[in-house]
Amino acid sequence: MFPEGFLWGGATAANQIEGAYNEGGKGLSVQDILPGGVTRPATDGPTEDNLKLKGIDFYHRYEEDIDLLAEMGFTTFRISFAWSRIFPRGDEAEPNREGLEFYDRVIDYMRSQGIEPLVTLSHYETPLHIMREYGGFTNRKVIGFFENYARTVMEHFKGRVRYWLTFNEINSVLHFPMFSGIEGIPEEIGAQNLYQAIHHELVASGRATRIAHEIDPESKVGCMILAVPRYPLTPHPDDAMAALIASHDDFTFGDVHVRGEYPGYFRRKLRELGVKLEITDADREDLKHTVDFVSFSYYMSVCESATEKESGKGNIIGGIPNPTLEASEWGWQIDPVGLRYILNEYWDRWQVPLFIVENGLGAKDELVNGTVEDDYRIDYLNDHLVQVAEAIEDGVQLLGYTSWGCIDLVSASTAQMSKRYGFIYVDRHDDGSGSLQRYKKKSFDWYKQVIASNGASLKR
Ligand code: BG6
């Protein structure tokens, strides 16, 4: 069953909850020009009706929200710091004090409620100026800007933040480079630029890990991977190989973070693409600073085939739909066993503790008499957590579980408010209307029970 001290909680990102995009001296980030989420084109700047910018007003309501999470018994809460709240343009030498002070209040309040903060340094939140002026991580200088940001917050929050994640879903740069401040789609950017940017981001991650350990040897740093089990569509060996090769795209990032160097299959890929990376001796040293744990998000699995190329509606990463699985209303295939599968796969591969930092069901909820009867969400989470318990029985070392969007927030892929994940309903709608009032859903008490019983109340 779940070990003692297992961290139970929920996860969010600054750009999806805070709102207040132009308060407290905050600069714009790439998120602020994506009013329709990642699936629609970027604008030149923020617009009046840009729901994404508004979040759920966590900036002003964090105490009320953290109180509700504490009531559920959370022992951890994953947030991200908005890089552009602390370094509004990203390239300044000195931080914006108001930005740090906001997170002082949030972190101190969390701790006062017995909740261990888990902080992502960049949850798809590269400052816009870094994109426009420097081309994001294609530019080596950005490693230094990120280093300055990481050092600043790690020194400032020493002893108060003990768990850090460097880049959210770092492997998604292959599919959506704009999160790393690189304008355009991968085909336009070209393999040489894209892979050089990936290298710079990996170096930045390694350097941040080194700095965290220098500043506070007790701190724990994890990488964060978008985890998608890839199953062969048929038993044909070529499909099995296609699945393995597709998995390599995700494994690369964990391999570098855990082993400190690029794997052979990746070097082959670069050769085949005709990419020559510029790697300095200092880069190699930075990559050697490996992570304490591997964290990941898990929503779905996909199938791979050597012959069929159809792409499903996935979580940024496409893939072929699995004919044996049901899907959510947004076409994300529901696969609890896939979570046990990937936990085993990652543990066997890397042998460092794992941390599930995102998992959940995006669904349309109906508020009736001040609550939501979200049995569908309870079933989804129950079934996934049962598989987590199985993986722990398999011997996987797992630090914790934070369900995604524990309080309703704005969707990353579609910017919809109606794609809800939370235990707490937030009265805000896709058109921006709503009182922002918070309501407990049925799953609120369910999760409270799961946490209080350390998983014993799950239905097998
Ligand atoms: C993950 C992201 O990919 O999936 C989150 O880290 C995101 O930011 C989550 O919100 C769920 O995706 P969506 O598109 O339903 O919000």
Side-chain angles (χ1 to χ4, degrees), residues 16 123 168-169 299 315 332 358 404 411-413 419 421:
Q16 292 171 266
H123 193 119
N168 182 62
E169 295 183 338
Y299 295 94
N315 174 16
W332 294 19
E358 283 188 35
W404 176 249
S411 156
S413 60
K419 190 179 188 191
Y421 287 86

Side-chain angles (χ1 to χ4, degrees), residues 12 30 92 99 151 171 245 347 425:
T12 58
V30 295
E92 301 91 336
R151 187 186 298 284
N171 48 329
I245 289 171
W347 170 249
Y425 182 94

